[in-house]
Amino acid sequence: MLKFIKGNLESIDGVAVYPMVSLLIFFIFFVGLFAWVITAKKEHINQVSNIPLEEDNNELS
């Protein structure tokens, strides 16, 4: 099965660029996410983490 995929990919010009682009997108996304987590305000993190624990006063009984 792999030889069929490998054979098809070898016939495409410039196919080696796609793994590099996908790795770059992956790396940029997680570096950005890490930067956001480090710079996020503690108040916002506490507020968002308590959302599942709050009672909803607008529930219909």
Side-chain angles (χ1 to χ4, degrees):
M1 178 78 179
L2 185 59
K3 66 180 178 179
F4 297 117
I5 296 171
K6 186 178 178 183
N8 288 334
L9 290 177
E10 286 176 349
S11 65
I12 300 172
D13 292 332
V15 75
V17 119
Y18 293 110
M20 294 303 293
V21 169
S22 61
L23 179 64
L24 186 64
I25 291 171
F26 178 82
F27 185 73
I28 289 172
F29 174 78
F30 281 103
V31 165
L33 188 65
F34 182 73
W36 178 79
V37 167
I38 295 299
T39 61
K41 295 181 180 177
K42 300 290 184 192
E43 298 165 359
H44 176 69
I45 300 297
N46 287 334
Q47 181 183 7
V48 172
S49 66
N50 287 327
I51 289 175
L53 303 175
E54 294 176 359
E55 291 185 26
D56 189 12
N57 295 331
N58 296 328
E59 286 184 15
L60 298 175
S61 297

